[in-house]
Amino acid sequence: MPIPQRLEEAYISRLDSLGSNSRQLLLLCAFDRTGTVEAVKTAAGGTWWFPDLVSAHNLDLITISGPQIEFRHPLVRSAVIHASGETESRAAHQAIAATLPFGSELWAWQMVGASDAPDDDVADALESSARRSLANGGFS
């Protein structure tokens, strides 16, 4: 078995020792692009409880440094995502999208992960983002 796969499986076994709320918070961390405690707290809403995040820190899955949350290794993020089901992943993307300005680029990318069918609002936001990127000399 390749080393990255073995590492990811080792991280998944650590995840299995966490409670469901801790795993949910880690999934929000995995999909959030800001890496801030505040963004995860806002997206978590009523399920937020800092000790659940500390549990993941104590298992050496993440580091919490002031307002920032970082995964200890990129494979931890991958393990969190792979260990979650489709329903949990969509819900996490939806929770993050709900905290972002409607129609913004980040909102659109989160909604792509949350959607299970084509959505005109999401398509329009992605198209607008692609146009802005092209206008600035980027790729779409």
Side-chain angles (χ1 to χ4, degrees):
M1 179 182 320
I3 290 175
Q5 187 176 355
R6 286 193 306 222
L7 278 173
E8 188 173 305
E9 288 179 4
Y11 290 133
I12 288 174
S13 71
R14 288 189 202 174
L15 292 171
D16 289 341
S17 68
L18 292 172
S20 63
N21 200 49
S22 292
R23 289 192 307 271
Q24 178 187 13
L25 291 175
L26 283 178
L27 190 57
L28 290 170
C29 293
F31 291 142
D32 173 60
R33 293 184 180 215
T34 66
T36 66
V37 171
E38 189 61 35
V40 173
K41 180 180 180 179
T42 302
T47 64
W48 170 255
W49 198 46
F50 190 70
D52 286 333
L53 206 54
V54 172
S55 297
H57 172 75
N58 291 342
L59 288 175
D60 211 25
L61 296 169
I62 58 171
T63 59
I64 304 169
S65 179
Q68 292 299 125
I69 303 168
E70 294 181 4
F71 284 93
R72 298 289 290 174
H73 190 279
L75 289 175
V76 176
R77 180 187 305 269
S78 177
V80 167
I81 293 168
H82 286 135
S84 69
E86 184 177 339
T87 301
E88 291 101 353
S89 290
R90 289 187 191 285
H93 279 295
Q94 179 66 49
I96 295 168
T99 69
L100 300 168
F102 178 84
S104 68
E105 183 175 354
L106 289 178
W107 173 86
W109 283 110
Q110 291 296 337
M111 287 304 296
V112 166
S115 301
D116 61 356
D119 183 301
D120 289 339
D121 290 331
V122 174
D124 290 344
L126 289 172
E127 183 178 357
S128 176
S129 173
R131 284 193 179 127
R132 280 191 306 276
S133 179
L134 285 172
N136 292 324
F139 298 100
S140 62

